[in-house]
């Protein structure tokens, strides 16, 4: 049976609630978003909150925080004596030895886990997610041109190779291996992990977790691999992972990078793209885990300045501030109170169906139903028919199959939760906001009636590729 985390309140654990409020307020000012957050001190949760429509029970795509899990699986194999950090990777993948360069032959597990493989370039998850052929073959097609260990080049491809090695050693995917030996014991939920066409966990990305799941993983590392008296990961491994043992100097222009735990100041952080973060503050016996939409990665500095630095200073603790913080947490929302402009255009028909030639995003049809209380927007493309139902001047929650990989870092999910609102932002423009509680992304779609035509735009808050799709113009007949 899953053991629940113990809860306390900030002042009881030596933290002034105002410091947490200051962190949240400063974070809000940046324009980036925190979707969910848990703060733990002395192994007790002292604050937890979620910005609607993001919720405690909804897993969030972790992006590169997944590497922390892959590395933990490697650490488990290390703990069980199945591998050594200085083992050559070709020891486990001998089929690639025949054509290997001398650099590749010398590449080790340590080189890959510290992002110093010797390859000519890095490999991103968005490059491989659409790939239907062997990811192992794709990795080894990238030349090894430098001495392994000599230069930092961040690559999700390295993590995929580590995932493949764990699977060959154990006969289980990283997800299965961790579930049997670690994650069930520390109480995480069962979690999804994308697999490659070869049936191997994607390694560098592809896991979805709740904020609490992240926090539990952070606690395992904060407590040096021990959970309720059982040493799940060896202390030696945790010391390697955190850079306390055999520290490699920080790459130029970057924080110190260990086994996907970046270190600067008081923070050790395992991060995923767009701000998914588990931060350890060992000096304060603290874990801060949050999901986010933060493509500028501004929250780390605010966490150091507004929380870590201030808690270290100490000071008076007033319990009355705890209720103010609690009230703030209960009111957090990103569902903007948008209302339609007065005197806006009223379309001539309640329903529209536009036939297209498929040249834009392979869309062959766009449909629109304008109800009194809801707006239904649909498209037909190469994946089928998809729709989003948005509340008119309010939010509706549902699911959608809407195509979005081209705006969402090439994550194309078969079905996604969506929270959607529609309103007339000006006299002629119907605006929709689509939020996906399982992702960092949210889309806007605008339809502007003008001179007998409708101009349709779609764009996203952040992406590794294009931020908007080509505009579509149709006749409003």
């Amino acid at each position: 049976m899953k053991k629940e985390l113990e809860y306390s309140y900030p002042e009881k654990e030596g933290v002034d609630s105002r410091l947490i409020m200051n962190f949240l307020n400063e974070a809000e000012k940046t324009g980036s978003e925190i979707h969910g957050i848990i703060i733990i001190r002395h192994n007790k949760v002292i604050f937890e909150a979620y910005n609607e429509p993001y919720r405690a029970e909804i897993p969030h795509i972790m992006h590169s925080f997944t590497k922390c899990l892959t590395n933990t699986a490697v650490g488990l194999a290390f703990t069980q004596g199945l591998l050594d950090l200085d083992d050559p990777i070709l020891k486990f993948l001998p089929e690639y030895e025949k054509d290997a360069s001398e650099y590749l032959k010398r590449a080790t597990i340590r080189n890959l886990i510290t992002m110093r493989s010797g390859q000519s370039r890095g490999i991103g998850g968005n490059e491989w997610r659409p790939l239907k052929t062997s990811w192992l073959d794709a990795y080894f097609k990238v030349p090894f041109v430098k001495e392994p260990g000599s230069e930092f080049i961040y690559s999700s491809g390295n993590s995929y190779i580590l995932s493949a090695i764990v699977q060959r050693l154990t006969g289980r995917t990283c997800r299965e291996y961790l579930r049997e030996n670690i994650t069930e014991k520390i109480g995480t939920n069962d979690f999804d992990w994308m697999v490659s066409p070869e049936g191997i966990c994607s390694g560098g990305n592809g896991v979805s977790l709740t904020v609490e799941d992240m926090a539990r993983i952070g606690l395992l590392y904060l407590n040096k691999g021990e959970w309720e008296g059982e040493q799940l990961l060896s202390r030696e491994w945790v010391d390697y992972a955190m850079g306390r043992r055999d520290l490699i100097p920080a790459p130029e222009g970057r924080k110190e990078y260990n086994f996907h735990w970046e270190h600067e100041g008081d923070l050790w952080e395992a991060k995923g793209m767009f701000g998914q973060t588990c931060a350890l503050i060992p000096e304060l016996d603290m874990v801060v885990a949050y999901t986010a939409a933060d493509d500028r990665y501004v929250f780390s500095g605010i966490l150091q300045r507004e929380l870590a630095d201030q808690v270290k200073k100490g000071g008076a603790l007033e319990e009355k501030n705890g209720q103010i913080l609690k009230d703030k947490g209960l009111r957090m929302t990103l569902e903007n109170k948008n209302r339609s402009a007065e005197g806006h255009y009223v379309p001539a028909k309640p329903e529209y169906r536009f036939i297209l030639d498929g040249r834009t995003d392979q869309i062959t049809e766009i449909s629109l139903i304008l109800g009194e209380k809801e707006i239904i927007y649909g498209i037909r493309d190469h994946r089928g028919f998809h729709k989003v139902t948005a509340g008119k001047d309010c939010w509706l929650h549902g699911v959608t199959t809407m195509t979005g990989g081209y705006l969402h870092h090439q994550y194309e999910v078969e079905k996604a939760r969506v929270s959607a609102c529609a309103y007339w932002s000006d006299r002629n423009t119907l605006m929709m906001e689509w939020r996906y509680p399982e992702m960092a992304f949210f889309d806007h779609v605008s339809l502007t009636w003008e001179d007998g035509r409708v101009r349709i735009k779609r764009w996203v808050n952040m992406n590794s590729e294009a931020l908007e799709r080509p505009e579509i113009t149709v006749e409003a007949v």
Side-chain angles (χ1 to χ4, degrees):
M1 182 176 176
K2 177 180 176 179
K3 183 176 180 180
E4 298 300 320
L5 294 175
E6 188 175 350
Y7 282 72
S8 183
Y9 56 90
E11 280 70 21
K12 187 174 181 180
E13 307 307 324
V15 178
D16 190 329
S17 292
R18 289 174 299 182
L19 302 181
I20 298 174
M21 285 189 286
N22 290 344
F23 167 71
L24 296 172
N25 291 337
E26 291 301 310
E28 288 174 6
K29 293 175 186 177
T30 66
S32 293
E33 299 176 350
I34 288 178
H35 292 164
I37 183 170
I38 287 179
I39 301 176
I40 298 174
R41 193 173 196 205
H42 306 326
N43 295 307
K44 298 173 184 176
V45 177
I46 61 172
F47 181 70
E48 180 177 9
Y50 299 86
N51 262 315
E52 286 287 343
Y54 309 89
R55 296 181 181 176
E57 70 275 13
I58 300 177
H60 204 279
I61 290 176
M62 291 287 103
H63 300 286
S64 281
F65 181 80
T66 302
K67 292 179 175 68
C68 184
L69 286 176
T70 301
N71 294 351
T72 299
V74 176
L76 178 59
F78 174 90
T79 298
Q80 294 179 345
L82 301 179
L83 57 77
D84 187 82
L85 282 169
D86 294 317
D87 282 337
I89 61 173
L90 293 182
K91 173 181 177 180
F92 310 100
L93 300 163
E95 66 269 33
Y96 294 98
E97 191 165 5
K98 180 181 176 182
D99 300 318
S101 69
E102 291 304 312
Y103 291 132
L104 171 53
K105 290 177 181 178
R106 291 197 288 271
T108 66
I109 287 175
R110 186 193 302 271
N111 298 145
L112 268 60
I113 209 167
T114 58
M115 298 298 172
R116 289 167 169 85
S117 68
Q119 282 185 301
S120 59
R121 66 176 181 88
I123 299 163
N126 59 321
E127 178 182 343
W128 278 6
R129 268 187 289 280
L131 189 64
K132 304 303 181 185
T133 53
S134 168
W135 291 11
L136 287 171
D137 288 350
Y139 179 82
F140 287 107
K141 285 177 183 176
V142 178
F144 285 72
V145 297
K146 305 179 186 75
E147 185 63 39
S150 63
E151 183 179 348
F152 180 93
I153 298 180
Y154 189 82
S155 177
S156 290
N158 295 336
S159 300
Y160 182 69
I161 299 302
L162 296 171
S163 176
I165 288 172
V166 168
Q167 189 160 330
R168 291 206 175 180
L169 278 171
T170 67
R172 300 171 180 82
T173 65
C174 277
R175 175 183 172 274
E176 293 166 339
Y177 187 45
L178 288 173
R179 289 294 295 164
E180 291 173 12
N181 294 278
I182 290 183
T183 55
E184 282 191 355
K185 293 181 178 181
I186 68 173
T188 69
N189 297 287
D190 196 4
F191 55 90
D192 293 329
W193 193 333
M194 182 184 299
V195 296
S196 72
E198 297 158 301
I200 299 168
C201 287
S202 47
N205 41 68
V207 161
S208 293
L209 299 174
T210 65
V211 180
E212 183 180 316
D213 292 336
M214 296 174 74
R216 287 175 180 266
I217 293 165
L219 277 175
L220 177 65
Y221 275 88
L222 184 70
N223 293 322
K224 299 181 180 180
E226 183 180 323
W227 193 272
E228 295 183 348
E230 184 178 358
Q231 198 71 42
L232 302 180
L233 286 173
S234 72
R235 291 185 172 227
E236 180 184 9
W237 172 265
V238 174
D239 284 345
Y240 279 128
M242 307 300 291
R244 300 190 187 103
R245 183 176 183 137
D246 290 355
L247 174 65
I248 300 175
E252 185 176 353
R254 285 192 63 119
K255 299 177 182 179
E256 174 192 300
Y257 184 91
N258 303 301
F259 293 5
H260 203 64
W261 290 98
E262 292 186 329
H263 174 220
E264 186 175 62
D266 295 305
L267 309 183
W268 277 258
E269 296 175 303
K271 289 185 177 181
M273 200 172 196
F274 310 120
Q276 321 324 307
T277 300
C278 182
L280 312 184
I281 312 175
E283 184 177 345
L284 300 178
D285 194 24
M286 184 179 287
V287 175
V288 182
Y290 55 85
T291 52
D294 176 23
D295 60 344
R296 294 175 293 133
Y297 307 99
V298 295
F299 295 150
S300 296
I302 298 171
L303 183 60
Q304 175 71 58
R305 183 178 71 248
E306 300 296 336
L307 193 59
D309 287 348
Q310 302 307 316
V311 173
K312 287 194 299 181
K313 290 180 181 178
L317 302 174
E318 298 184 37
E319 293 188 13
K320 66 178 182 180
N321 296 319
Q323 186 60 48
I324 300 172
L325 175 63
K326 183 178 179 180
D327 291 343
K328 179 179 179 61
L330 292 172
R331 292 195 305 267
M332 288 170 62
T333 181
L334 291 166
E335 294 181 343
N336 299 317
K337 302 295 190 289
N338 295 310
R339 294 292 180 267
S340 293
E342 294 185 7
H344 62 76
Y345 177 74
V346 178
K349 301 187 298 183
E351 296 186 20
Y352 289 86
R353 182 168 175 257
F354 308 116
I355 304 301
L356 306 173
D357 57 17
R359 286 185 292 182
T360 300
D361 294 333
Q362 303 182 61
I363 297 173
T364 56
E365 177 187 335
I366 293 177
S367 63
L368 186 67
I369 300 176
L370 301 160
E372 289 187 11
K373 296 183 179 180
E374 61 185 30
I375 307 293
I376 303 175
Y377 179 87
I379 68 167
R380 187 177 301 280
D381 64 9
H382 60 291
R383 296 179 58 247
F385 181 76
H386 322 282
K387 66 180 182 178
V388 173
T389 302
K392 188 175 180 182
D393 295 329
C394 66
W395 289 84
L396 290 181
H397 309 286
V399 296
T400 184
T401 63
M402 182 64 68
T403 301
Y406 34 59
L407 289 176
H408 303 156
H409 194 50
Q410 292 300 334
Y411 279 93
E412 193 68 84
V413 296
E414 291 304 311
K415 187 178 289 185
R417 297 173 190 253
V418 66
S419 297
C421 174
Y423 60 99
W424 290 86
S425 59
D426 59 38
R427 186 181 184 280
N428 296 318
T429 300
L430 177 64
M431 182 74 73
M432 289 180 285
E433 183 174 333
W434 302 342
R435 285 191 169 270
Y436 305 95
E438 296 157 313
M439 310 183 198
F441 314 106
F442 62 87
D443 297 347
H444 280 96
V445 176
S446 67
L447 298 94
T448 301
W449 272 258
E450 200 170 70
D451 300 326
R453 296 183 175 185
V454 182
R455 292 188 291 109
I456 304 171
K457 298 180 181 179
R458 182 180 174 188
W459 65 98
V460 71
N461 59 326
M462 55 187 62
N463 190 22
S464 57
E465 302 173 33
L467 291 173
E468 60 184 26
R469 304 313 298 162
E471 182 175 294
I472 296 173
T473 301
V474 294
E475 298 290 334
V477 294

